[in-house]
């Protein structure tokens, strides 16, 4: 009997190159989920192509508070019309009630944009750079999912795993431990609202284009949780990506590795609802 795991590509709609990569991998059956950045200008134009994978893969919101522009004015968080870097977001979300109100409103706008384009709710919600677990952001995400959607119908990403599992995989260990620490307390908070989470998480990477990502993929599946989720960041490089995001050179490396990837014996790609 095989055990399923979710393999999720982040950043759909960030750029055309990233999105084309993800669509190709979905068409080849090499992914079982992707999260969309619905505040990006490409979202509406690409949503129809993504919708073709409804029912075949989990399609969710990749809540974005750190890349590009918000969908409406955010005077406290994005006074110049551009979303802040992660450090600035963390400080404002923690220290400013006005910023927290703007975050909650922007989350509703990004969820609205997903629903309007695909005609349905997302399968899941997570966050670009894991912003959905930050203090000052987390409650808005939990409250919005509980308020907007039927109980248990939309899952959240828990980007944490045990220290022993992270160390056993041996990939970007320090970075993975920091992310896991940020997510502390998410599980009980979600449980109180009846929101399901993955159980087991990997895919944290140093984003080094010289690294053998094909060798890292099976490492990410060591010590899998009972509802394991692996994130990845494939993409094709274009000028827009170079101007927008620090993760560039590793994306085509990930794309090529994912095209060739075959899960180890006993494991298979699955949607979240198929996991035990």
């Amino acid at each position: 009997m095989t055990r399923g795991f979710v393999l999720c590509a982040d950043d759909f709609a960030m750029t055309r190159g990233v999105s084309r990569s993800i669509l190709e991998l979905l068409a080849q059956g090499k992914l079982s989920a992707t999260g969309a950045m619905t505040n990006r200008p490409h979202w509406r134009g690409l949503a129809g192509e993504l919708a073709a994978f409804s029912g075949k893969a989990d399609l969710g919101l990749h809540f974005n508070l750190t890349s590009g522009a918000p969908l409406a004015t955010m005077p406290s968080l994005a006074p110049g019309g551009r979303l802040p870097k992660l450090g600035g977001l963390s400080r404002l979300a923690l220290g400013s009630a006005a910023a927290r109100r703007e975050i909650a409103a922007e989350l509703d706008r990004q969820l609205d944009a997903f629903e309007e384009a695909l005609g349905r709710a997302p399968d899941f919600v997570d966050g670009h750079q894991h912003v959905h677990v930050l203090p000052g952001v987390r409650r808005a995400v939990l409250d919005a999912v509980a308020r907007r959607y039927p109980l248990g119908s939309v899952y959240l990403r828990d980007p944490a795993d045990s220290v022993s599992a992270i160390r056993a995989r041996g990939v970007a260990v320090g970075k993975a431990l920091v992310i896991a620490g940020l997510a502390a307390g998410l599980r009980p908070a979600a449980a109180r609202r009846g929101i399901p989470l993955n159980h087991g998480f990997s895919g944290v990477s140093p984003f080094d284009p010289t690294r053998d990502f094909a060798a890292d993929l099976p490492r990410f599946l060591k010590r899998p949780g009972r509802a394991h989720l692996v994130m990845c960041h494939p993409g094709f490089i274009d000028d827009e990506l170079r101007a927008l995001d620090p993760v560039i050179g590793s994306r085509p490396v990930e794309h090529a590795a994912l095209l060739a990837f075959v899960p180890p014996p006993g494991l298979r790609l699955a949607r979240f609802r198929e996991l035990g």
Side-chain angles (χ1 to χ4, degrees), residues 1-273:
M1 182 176 178
T2 60
R3 175 187 290 187
F5 67 95
V6 175
L7 182 54
C8 181
D10 292 352
D11 303 338
F12 186 83
M14 173 183 273
T15 67
R16 289 192 181 278
V18 168
S19 305
R20 291 296 168 202
S21 165
I22 293 171
L23 288 168
E24 180 179 330
L25 291 166
L26 284 167
Q28 294 292 323
K30 297 297 184 176
L31 299 169
S32 59
T34 189
M37 302 169 80
T38 64
N39 69 313
R40 296 293 299 147
H42 300 298
W43 166 241
R44 289 195 175 276
L46 292 166
E49 293 181 68
L50 185 63
F53 297 98
S54 289
K56 303 173 185 176
D58 290 342
L59 309 180
L61 176 72
H62 196 52
F63 184 32
N64 177 20
L65 291 172
T66 58
S67 180
L71 288 172
T73 58
M74 301 177 76
S76 298
L77 198 72
R82 305 297 292 179
L83 291 164
K85 294 185 182 300
L86 185 60
L89 169 67
S90 299
R91 289 190 296 272
L92 284 164
L94 190 59
S96 168
R100 290 192 292 273
R101 288 191 292 271
E102 292 175 6
I103 287 167
E106 178 67 12
L107 174 58
D108 276 330
R109 288 190 290 266
Q110 292 187 23
L111 287 166
D112 288 345
F114 185 101
E115 293 173 23
E116 289 164 6
L118 264 65
R120 66 174 183 87
D123 294 307
F124 67 90
V125 175
D126 61 27
H128 185 54
Q129 299 185 300
H130 311 290
V131 298
H132 66 297
V133 304
L134 293 177
V137 179
R138 180 185 301 188
R139 177 172 289 184
V141 173
L142 290 165
D143 288 349
V145 171
R147 168 173 46 86
R148 293 176 65 117
Y149 305 117
L151 186 68
S153 65
V154 173
Y155 68 95
L156 293 182
R157 174 185 293 182
D158 181 359
D161 210 332
S162 70
V163 172
S164 61
I166 290 169
R167 287 179 172 165
R169 294 170 193 135
V171 184
V173 170
K175 185 177 177 182
L177 290 172
V178 169
I179 294 168
L182 286 173
L186 177 65
R187 185 164 297 279
R192 287 192 293 271
R193 295 166 173 83
I195 300 171
L197 303 175
N198 56 290
H199 194 284
F201 176 77
S202 59
V204 179
S205 166
F207 296 130
D208 179 356
T210 67
R211 187 176 175 91
D212 187 354
F213 186 77
D216 283 342
L217 279 168
R219 294 188 184 107
F220 293 146
L221 292 166
K222 289 183 178 180
R223 303 276 299 273
R226 58 178 173 77
H228 198 71
L229 190 152
V230 181
M231 70 171 179
C232 58
H233 298 82
F236 300 137
I237 299 172
D238 53 26
D239 289 342
E240 185 181 18
L241 180 63
R242 291 188 185 95
L244 183 68
D245 195 71
V247 181
I248 301 170
S250 60
R251 290 184 186 268
V253 174
E254 291 199 24
H255 178 92
L258 288 162
L259 270 180
F261 177 60
V262 177
L267 294 170
R268 61 180 174 83
L269 267 66
R271 296 183 63 193
F272 182 79
R273 68 180 185 180

